[in-house]
Amino acid sequence: MRQLLSKKKVYTKLVLLYCFMALVGFISNSLVLALLIFTIALLLWHYHHLFLMDKWLWQDRKLSPPMADGIWAHLFEGIYYQQRKDRRKRRELRNMVRRFRDGVEALPEAVVVLRDDWTIVWSNQLAQTLIGLHWPSDEGIRLDNLIRHPDFQQYLAATNFTQPIELPSPVSAQRTLELHLVPYDIEQYLLIVRDISHLKQLEQVRKDFVANVSHELRTPLTVLQGYLEVMDDEHLPDKAMWKKAHNVMLDQTKRMELLVQQLLTLSRIEAATKVPFDNEVDVPSLLATLEQEAQALNHDKQHQISFAVDSKLKVTGVSEELRSVFSNLLTNAIKYTPSNGIIQLSWQRQPNGAVFTITDNGPGIALQHVKRLTERFYRVDEARARNTGGSGLGLAIVKHVLSWHNSKLVINSEPGKGSRFSFTLPPELVL
Ligand code: ADP
C-alpha cells in the first residue's frame, strides 16, 4: 500500500513558502506584489502539470508518467500504478477468456451461446462445420433462422429442454446431429451439438446384422420343418424320397453349422484385444494341406488349379486365423468360377513383405460390389451365393484377420474376366 500525501507536510511547505515571499516583499517594500506574483506562479505551476496530465492521459501512448515533482509527482505515480494494475487485470482476463475459448474449441461438440430470444452471442469453430453457422457474421442472428427444421422449431417452442433432439444437419442431410439446449446464467442458453451419424450407422449395422442372422438361420430351418411336417407316422416317405429328403436336410444342417461356426469366429476375432503374435506359421505346409482339400472340392468343377509357393516363406501370426483366410479365398475362387476355370495361387517373398495372390477367370465382380464385399452377409448375387452354400461371412472374416496382421485385402476384379484377391503381410511378420 502506497503512502497517502501528508496534508500537514504540504500545508507546512505552502505556509513556509508564503512566509518567505512575505519576507522578500517586506524587505523590498512590495509585500502585496510579491505575494501576488507567488500566487500567480503557483497557479501557473499547477496548470502546467494539469496540461501535462491531460496530454499524458489522452494523447501519449506511454504508460510511464511525465516528469514532475512535489504533489504532482505523487499524483502521477498513483495514476501510473493504478493503470499498471488495470493492465495486468485486463491481461489476466484476456488470458482467461482465451483459455476458455480454446477449451470450448477443443471440445468434440459444437457449442453456441444464445440469449433467451435465441439470438447468437458466440459459437465455436465446430458449429460452423456442423450447423453451417458463419462466425462472426451470424452474431446477433436468431438461431431458428439458421436451423429451420420444423422439429427444432417445436423444440424451441415447447421450452422443455431436459432431453436432446435428433435432426439431420442443415449442412448435409447425410449427417445426423443431436442438439441439446442447456439454460445457464441469467437468460442465457448453451446449444450443444454432437455429430451422431457414426452411432446411427452402428445402430443400423446392428439391426441389419440381427435381421440377416435371423434370415440366414430361418431359411434352412424352414426347409427342415417342411420335410419333417410331411413325414409323420401316416405318411412315411418311400426309400428314394427319403434319400433325397435326407440329403437336403443334411445340407441345410451343415449350412446352419457353418453359419454358426463363422459367426463365432467373427465374434472371437472382434472381441480379442491382444493378438498372440509369437507363433510361427508354416504357411507352405498349411497351403499344401489346403491344396489337397481343394482337389476334393474341385471334383465337380474340374478347374486347373496351380500353386506357386515359396517353400521357405514362413511368417509370425495366428495359424488358425491365417488358415481361414487362405481357405476362404481359395474356396471362393473354386465356388464362384464356372467349371473348367483357371485358378492360380501364389505365395512369394517380395521387398515389401510376404505376398499372397489368388487369381481366377471366373465371372468377376462389378466395382460397386467390390467396395462392399467385406461387409457381413454381403453377396453379389444372393441366389447364386446361397446355392453355393456360402454364409456371406467369409470375406468379413478375411478382412478382420488381415487387419489383425497389419494387412489389408486388395480386390481387383473385372466383370466377365475374373478376379484377383491379394494381400501383403508386412516385413516385420516375415521370418
Ligand atoms: P460367401 O460365403 O457367400 O461366399 P464371402 O464373404 O466369402 O461369402 O463372399 C462374399 C461374396 O463375394 C460372395 O457371395 C460372392 O458374390 C463374391 N465373391 C467372393 N469371391 C469371389 C470370386 N472369386 N469371384 C466372384 N465373386 C466372388
Side-chain angles (χ1 to χ4, degrees), residues 258 262 328-329 332-337 360 362-365 373-375 377-381 384-386 388-396 413 419 421:
L258 175 81
Q262 290 201 320
N328 267 311
L329 295 176
N332 275 353
I334 297 174
K335 267 192 324 194
Y336 294 110
T337 305
D360 64 56
I365 307 153
L373 279 192
T374 53
E375 285 174 23
F377 298 109
Y378 191 83
R379 287 140 165 170
V380 176
D381 178 343
R384 190 167 52 130
R386 246 190 221 117
T388 57
S391 65
L393 291 173
L395 291 182
S413 190
S419 314
F421 291 77

Side-chain angles (χ1 to χ4, degrees), residues 76-121:
F76 284 169
E77 208 181 329
I79 297 173
Y80 166 72
Y81 278 113
Q82 205 54 46
Q83 281 192 342
R84 245 184 34 178
K85 217 161 90 185
D86 284 355
R87 275 198 186 196
R88 206 175 48 239
K89 281 247 165 72
R90 274 208 302 273
R91 204 179 312 128
E92 275 170 16
L93 209 65
R94 255 203 316 271
N95 284 342
M96 213 165 88
V97 172
R98 193 180 317 124
R99 271 203 302 276
F100 167 76
R101 287 197 173 183
D102 288 351
V104 180
E105 288 295 356
L107 284 176
E109 281 103 14
V111 176
V112 185
V113 180
L114 301 160
R115 290 193 194 88
D116 64 345
D117 58 355
W118 311 128
T119 50
I120 297 164
V121 178

Side-chain angles (χ1 to χ4, degrees), residues 11 78 94 96 99 128 141 162 198 208 210 215 261 345:
Y11 286 135
R94 255 203 316 271
M96 213 165 88
R99 271 203 302 276
Q128 304 176 31
I141 285 181
T162 46
H198 186 58
D208 289 351
V210 173
H215 179 74
Q261 197 187 328
L345 182 150

Side-chain angles (χ1 to χ4, degrees), residues 179-415:
L179 293 91
H180 198 177
L181 266 171
V182 186
Y184 83 104
D185 207 9
I186 309 157
E187 296 167 350
Q188 298 249 47
Y189 286 86
L190 265 187
L191 175 73
I192 299 167
V193 186
R194 279 201 311 148
D195 186 348
I196 53 163
S197 321
H198 186 58
L199 284 177
K200 284 269 145 194
Q201 264 167 16
L202 282 180
E203 203 178 303
Q204 193 54 44
V205 167
R206 190 187 57 77
K207 278 186 191 154
D208 289 351
F209 181 71
V210 173
N212 278 321
V213 172
S214 330
H215 179 74
E216 293 293 331
L217 284 173
R218 206 168 40 221
T219 315
L221 274 176
T222 314
V223 176
L224 287 179
Q225 198 181 356
Y227 276 107
L228 291 172
E229 268 170 12
V230 292
M231 286 187 218
D232 54 22
D233 286 348
E234 282 140 47
H235 303 91
L236 278 176
D238 59 32
K239 205 165 177 196
M241 167 75 174
W242 167 246
K243 197 162 184 283
K244 190 177 163 234
H246 180 259
N247 280 343
V248 175
M249 288 196 286
L250 205 63
D251 275 357
Q252 295 302 325
T253 40
K254 274 189 195 156
R255 201 171 136 190
M256 275 199 288
E257 196 199 346
L258 175 81
L259 180 70
V260 172
Q261 197 187 328
Q262 290 201 320
L263 278 172
L264 287 174
T265 309
L266 205 57
S267 69
R268 194 186 63 234
I269 300 170
E270 281 180 340
T273 46
K274 200 164 163 269
V275 187
F277 258 177
D278 42 0
N279 299 337
E280 176 185 301
V281 185
D282 186 352
V283 179
S285 82
L286 211 148
L287 288 175
T289 321
L290 281 181
E291 192 174 0
Q292 280 172 12
E293 286 173 18
Q295 298 310 339
L297 209 68
N298 190 28
H299 192 260
D300 296 337
K301 292 253 179 127
Q302 293 296 314
H303 298 308
Q304 269 179 49
I305 307 179
S306 63
F307 276 63
V309 176
D310 179 339
S311 59
K312 293 197 182 70
L313 186 49
K314 297 179 181 176
V315 293
T316 319
V318 188
S319 176
E320 211 25 60
E321 312 302 6
L322 283 177
R323 186 186 190 287
S324 77
V325 169
F326 298 128
S327 163
N328 267 311
L329 295 176
L330 179 61
T331 316
N332 275 353
I334 297 174
K335 267 192 324 194
Y336 294 110
T337 305
S339 298
N340 302 313
I342 299 171
I343 296 169
Q344 291 159 327
L345 182 150
S346 134
W347 172 246
Q348 298 294 330
R349 189 185 294 270
Q350 298 283 346
N352 57 340
V355 182
F356 176 87
T357 317
I358 182 156
T359 317
D360 64 56
N361 65 344
I365 307 153
L367 191 65
Q368 78 264 26
H369 298 301
V370 169
K371 286 185 269 178
R372 304 190 54 192
L373 279 192
T374 53
E375 285 174 23
R376 298 160 198 203
F377 298 109
Y378 191 83
R379 287 140 165 170
V380 176
D381 178 343
E382 284 286 326
R384 190 167 52 130
R386 246 190 221 117
N387 290 339
T388 57
S391 65
L393 291 173
L395 291 182
I397 294 177
V398 170
K399 178 186 157 182
H400 275 88
V401 173
L402 289 183
S403 106
W404 259 25
H405 290 80
N406 303 332
S407 180
K408 242 166 93 175
L409 181 68
V410 179
I411 307 170
N412 300 94
S413 190
E414 217 180 306

Side-chain angles (χ1 to χ4, degrees), residues 131-178:
I131 54 174
L133 197 146
H134 294 113
W135 185 258
S137 56
D138 283 343
E139 187 183 354
I141 285 181
R142 281 180 63 111
L143 185 70
D144 42 356
N145 283 344
L146 281 179
I147 307 175
R148 291 176 169 274
H149 197 283
D151 289 357
F152 186 65
Q153 311 277 343
Q154 265 176 26
Y155 181 63
L156 289 185
T159 61
N160 176 7
F161 307 126
T162 46
Q163 293 297 322
I165 64 159
E166 288 175 15
L167 293 179
S169 160
V171 182
S172 144
Q174 277 86 39
R175 274 187 175 174
T176 310
L177 305 179
E178 184 191 79

